[in-house]
């Protein structure tokens, strides 16, 4: 995954389709880039959906990264994802 430019739309489409070829470290990097976009003021539906998909990632490290950036999401999305992650089986995510 290119660190300088991420096509969030294409990445979202890959994740929606259940693309298992994306290595989990790249998915962690994706959360970091997502946080940068949200910090920059881009709170588009596609970025919120991307956060939601990554909050359900099989790797707890990715879910924990999403939990760390929840405050950047709009209030309604924050509440919904915080409730979901607060019931995560992994203590580091909760």
């Amino acid at each position: 995954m290119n660190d300088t430019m991420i096509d969030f739309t294409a990445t979202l489409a890959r994740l929606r389709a259940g693309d298992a070829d994306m290595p989990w470290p790249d998915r962690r990097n994706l959360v970091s880039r997502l946080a940068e976009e949200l910090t920059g003021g881009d709170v588009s539906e596609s970025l919120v959906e991307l956060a939601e998909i990554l909050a359900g990632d099989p790797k707890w490290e990715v879910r924990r990264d999403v939990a760390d950036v929840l405050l950047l999401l709009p209030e309604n999305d924050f509440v919904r994802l915080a409730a979901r992650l607060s019931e995560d089986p992994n203590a580091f995510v909760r």
Side-chain angles (χ1 to χ4, degrees), residues 14-84:
R14 284 178 63 190
L15 292 175
R16 276 188 198 132
D19 184 357
D21 292 337
M22 183 183 291
W24 70 270
D26 286 350
R27 296 191 310 269
R28 288 190 78 191
N29 182 50
L30 186 56
V31 175
S32 176
R33 299 304 301 265
L34 174 69
E36 290 174 15
E37 292 295 315
L38 292 169
T39 300
D42 183 358
V43 214
S44 67
E45 290 282 325
S46 61
L47 290 183
V48 171
E49 183 179 353
L50 188 55
E52 187 167 343
I53 289 171
L54 292 168
D57 196 271
K59 294 294 282 182
W60 69 264
E61 295 90 343
V62 176
R63 297 190 314 271
R64 183 197 55 205
D65 290 345
V66 172
D68 288 342
V69 301
L70 282 179
L71 288 173
L72 300 173
L73 294 171
E75 185 176 359
N76 290 339
D77 300 307
F78 165 82
V79 170
R80 183 173 38 77
L81 286 178
R84 177 177 169 188

